[in-house]
Amino acid sequence: MFDMDHLYKIMESGWNIQLECKGKGREYEMSFEASAYKVVTSDMSEDDKIMAFYPIHAVGDTLEEITDSLLKQIKLKESK
């Protein structure tokens, strides 16, 4: 089973995460979509504050897929 601690760690590192569950047509299955925004802080540069309003998105069939995708995108965004 999925451990929610992974999502909590992302949020504790300064990201707001919005999760949405979606039904898959007529099947009894769910998919998930997530958007994450960096929380603006006073010590950020003006460029970082502007870029914080551009979210990252993830789509997957499980919360684990969503979390993995978010972590990869966050690492890419923060390495720039």
Side-chain angles (χ1 to χ4, degrees), residues 18 21 23 45 47 52 67:
Q18 300 169 343
C21 299
S45 69
D47 288 340
T67 305

Side-chain angles (χ1 to χ4, degrees), residues 7 10 15-20 22 32-38 51-77:
L7 283 176
I10 294 172
W15 290 86
N16 282 332
I17 300 173
Q18 300 169 343
L19 291 173
E20 189 174 331
K22 298 186 173 205
F32 299 93
E33 185 175 336
S35 297
Y37 297 83
K38 186 70 174 169
M51 292 307 293
F53 290 101
Y54 292 94
I56 56 175
H57 297 283
V59 177
D61 290 331
T62 66
L63 288 174
E64 289 177 43
E65 288 178 18
I66 294 285
T67 305
D68 290 342
S69 180
L70 287 175
L71 286 170
K72 287 176 187 175
Q73 292 181 58
I74 289 169
K75 286 179 185 176
L76 282 174
K77 191 169 187 170

